[in-house]
Amino acid sequence: MNFSVHFDDETIERLNRAVARVGLTRNRVITLAVQDWLARNEEKDWPAVLKSHFGNPAPELTEETLDFQAWREALPDSAPVRW
């Protein structure tokens, strides 16, 4: 997919010097920069195999599980909630 990105003159000059030095194209450098940014800023999630494994580690206890939300609702508004 193609789209336009507009840079100021100073940024273009710096980019041109950098790509000449490392031997990559401007498009490749921009692509790498966006991929790096996404890797650091996308929402992280567990791999599906781990999510399914740890989703319910003790299914035999499902019927007798303590509902901690009921306890939270019983606390006064001024009480600090630490869980």
Side-chain angles (χ1 to χ4, degrees):
M1 173 186 223
N2 294 320
F3 65 93
S4 288
V5 178
H6 298 277
F7 294 104
D8 59 85
D9 292 339
E10 180 186 348
T11 302
I12 291 295
E13 289 173 17
R14 291 174 61 202
L15 181 58
N16 286 338
R17 287 191 305 269
V19 297
R21 186 178 69 251
V22 298
L24 296 172
T25 65
R26 288 188 305 194
N27 284 347
R28 185 66 183 143
V29 170
I30 293 167
T31 298
L32 291 171
V34 170
Q35 289 171 343
D36 179 60
W37 186 90
L38 288 171
R40 288 182 282 114
N41 292 286
E42 281 181 315
E43 183 176 336
K44 304 294 185 218
D45 200 0
W46 289 83
V49 67
L50 288 178
K51 284 173 43 175
S52 67
H53 176 74
F54 291 111
N56 189 358
E60 66 277 4
L61 300 177
T62 302
E63 296 299 320
E64 300 174 21
T65 304
L66 175 64
D67 180 12
F68 73 90
Q69 291 296 341
W71 289 85
R72 179 181 288 188
E73 292 167 4
L75 291 172
D77 290 336
S78 61
V81 178
R82 299 186 188 269
W83 63 75

